[in-house]
């Protein structure tokens, strides 16, 4: 293993921060696996999983079992991890601008396509390398004007040429769930099985320009553009893994999640050995546009009435909001049959605050499919 430090630019004078990437295996293997944790900075369960993965990759490297180069970034967002307000971490948004650290990643399809005109061949492997080279050039040409953009640039540069991209997160209170591009789902489904994911949310383009989609959707655009003329490879298996809620931090759970990721990489051949038999898929994949997102109709005390990870029926009460001065109860019921996969952790809400989400088979939303 060796570490590479990638400085973040455009910081305040007299300060320095960097992204540390740990490399395992052989860079000339022809395969690359990229994993990063806690892009929203205070996603502690994801960071703990990444530390357990470090130990496992070190052992696998010594055993000579890594068939791919593995790049692990345990702390993907040192900028956000340094943001604290009155004792509480504030890692989801850049405080100076309000920007979400996992939104607005550079979508460089047009710049890559321009560089590829006249450069593609009839060989799919050659085209894969030329796409990655053109992508790297397009990223290098992007202007970086602030620390937020510098962080995004560092992470994209590390991941754009990977075959597997796993972005490890967590939610407020949640069950294990995945966000996956439609085309990635067949290859990602074994990962959902090993992790015991209870909600698998599919979207080709969520409208958020999140990190995982900056990989998978750009490849999809390139295949649509060139695929009828040249043989174009499949894009990376790019997945956002939500390791439950922020308080779900334990060695036992982190080890189980890390083991599940190792089993998946063994299953697909990036780690030598025999993978465990595939567990059952706990719940089928559903469109992200089919999930129902609940909001508070008024201010009050939030009482949860449905269990995380369980099936919710149409008409079932999911939340109560109790008015403190009158005791009046406003009940929020589900209009969708599906799994309650995430919910709010703060037990007092204002009108319009998000409360939680339930999966659904029927498309009912469009536009921006992810929250802020």
């Amino acid at each position: 293993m060796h570490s590479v430090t990638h400085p973040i630019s455009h910081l305040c004078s007299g300060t320095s921060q960097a992204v540390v990437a740990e490399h395992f295996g052989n860079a000339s293997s022809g395969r690359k696996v990229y994993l990063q944790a806690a892009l929203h900075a205070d996603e502690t369960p994801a960071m703990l999983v990444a530390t357990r993965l470090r130990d496992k990759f070190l052992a696998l490297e010594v055993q000579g079992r890594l068939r791919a180069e593995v790049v692990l970034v345990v702390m993907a967002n040192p900028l956000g991890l340094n943001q604290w307000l009155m004792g509480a971490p504030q890692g989801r948004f850049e405080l100076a601008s309000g920007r979400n650290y996992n939104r607005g990643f550079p979508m460089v399809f047009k710049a890559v396509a321009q560089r590829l005109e006249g450069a593609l061949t009839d060989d799919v492997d050659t085209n894969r390398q030329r796409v990655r080279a053109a992508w790297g050039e397009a990223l290098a040409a992007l202007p970086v004007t602030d620390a937020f953009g510098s962080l995004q640039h560092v992470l994209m540069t590390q991941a754009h040429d990977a075959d597997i991209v796993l972005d490890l997160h967590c939610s407020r209170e949640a069950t294990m769930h995945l966000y996956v591009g439609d085309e990635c789902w067949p290859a990602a489904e074994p990962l959902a099985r090993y992790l015991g994911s209870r909600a698998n949310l599919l979207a080709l383009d969520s409208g958020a320009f999140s990190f995982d989609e900056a990989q998978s959707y750009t490849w999809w655009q390139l295949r649509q553009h060139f695929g009828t003329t040249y043989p174009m490879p499949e894009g990376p298996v790019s997945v956002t893994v939500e390791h439950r809620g922020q308080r779900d931090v334990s060695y036992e759970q982190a080890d189980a999640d890390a083991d599940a990721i190792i089993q998946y990489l063994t299953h697909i051949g990036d780690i030598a050995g025999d993978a465990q038999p595939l567990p059952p898929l706990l719940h089928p994949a559903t469109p992200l546009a089919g999930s129902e997102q609940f909001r508070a109709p008024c201010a009050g005390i939030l009482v949860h009435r449905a269990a995380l990870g369980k099936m919710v029926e149409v008409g079932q009460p999911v939340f109560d909001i109790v008015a403190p001065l009158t005791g009046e109860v406003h009940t929020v019921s589900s209009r969708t049959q599906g799994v309650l996969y995430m919910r709010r952790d703060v037990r007092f809400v204002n009108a319009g605050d998000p409360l939680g989400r339930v999966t659904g088979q029927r498309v009912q939303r469009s536009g921006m499919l992810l929250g802020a």
Side-chain angles (χ1 to χ4, degrees), residues 71-353:
V71 179
L72 176 66
V73 177
V74 175
M75 291 173 49
N77 186 359
L79 298 178
L81 201 57
N82 276 279
Q83 295 183 152
W84 290 72
L85 181 62
M86 300 180 71
Q90 306 291 326
R92 185 175 182 83
F93 304 96
E94 184 189 49
L95 292 182
S97 67
R99 289 177 292 182
N100 187 316
Y101 279 110
N102 194 24
R103 302 290 185 267
F105 272 86
M107 307 296 284
V108 293
F109 157 68
K110 291 182 179 179
V112 176
Q114 289 175 355
R115 284 172 166 80
L116 290 173
E117 292 294 346
L120 296 176
T121 72
D122 292 330
D123 180 74
V124 67
D125 292 326
T126 299
N127 290 343
R128 178 184 293 105
Q129 296 306 316
R130 293 188 178 179
V131 167
R132 289 172 173 172
W135 199 329
E137 293 170 2
L139 288 173
L142 289 175
V144 175
T145 59
D146 57 17
F148 184 99
S150 177
L151 175 66
Q152 288 194 331
H153 186 269
V154 167
L155 298 178
M156 284 290 291
T157 301
Q158 292 297 298
H160 79 280
D161 58 350
D163 300 281
I164 305 292
V165 177
L166 301 184
D167 192 16
L168 311 184
H169 287 252
C170 75
S171 191
R172 300 300 184 184
E173 289 184 0
T175 189
M176 170 67 75
H177 60 286
L178 306 182
Y179 293 98
V180 189
D182 294 89
E183 285 205 338
C184 295
W185 173 241
E189 194 225 43
L191 176 64
R193 291 172 179 263
Y194 284 120
L195 285 168
S197 177
R198 295 184 175 274
N200 306 293
L201 303 152
L202 308 187
L204 178 65
D205 175 17
S206 71
F209 298 163
S210 58
F211 181 80
D212 67 316
E213 288 182 353
Q215 324 298 325
S216 59
Y217 186 49
T218 301
W219 267 102
W220 181 86
Q221 290 177 300
L222 290 168
R223 291 183 66 207
Q224 297 302 302
H225 186 74
F226 292 110
T228 58
T229 308
Y230 301 100
M232 292 293 290
E234 298 286 339
V237 181
S238 185
V239 183
T240 293
V241 181
E242 298 281 353
H243 293 273
R244 302 169 198 84
Q246 285 188 313
R247 295 182 178 87
D248 293 318
V249 180
S250 71
Y251 289 130
E252 294 78 12
Q253 193 63 73
D255 280 328
D257 289 352
D259 284 338
I261 292 171
I262 295 297
Q263 289 300 316
Y264 171 66
L265 295 177
T266 305
H267 174 79
I268 63 176
D270 286 330
I271 296 174
D274 296 324
Q276 296 174 2
L278 281 172
L281 184 66
L282 298 183
H283 289 282
T286 58
L288 178 58
S291 64
E292 182 175 357
Q293 300 193 4
F294 303 92
R295 292 192 175 273
C298 58
I301 302 162
L302 175 64
V303 180
H304 293 298
R305 296 187 56 184
L308 278 170
K310 301 298 184 182
M311 187 66 70
V312 171
E313 301 298 330
V314 174
Q316 177 178 336
V318 185
F319 309 99
D320 279 347
I321 300 173
V322 182
L325 296 181
T326 66
E328 183 180 2
V329 177
H330 297 265
T331 298
V332 179
S333 299
S334 180
R335 300 187 303 274
T336 307
Q337 182 189 54
V339 175
L340 177 64
Y341 63 94
M342 63 172 292
R343 67 187 190 187
R344 189 177 185 87
D345 56 339
V346 179
R347 297 304 196 262
F348 193 93
V349 296
N350 291 307
D353 282 346

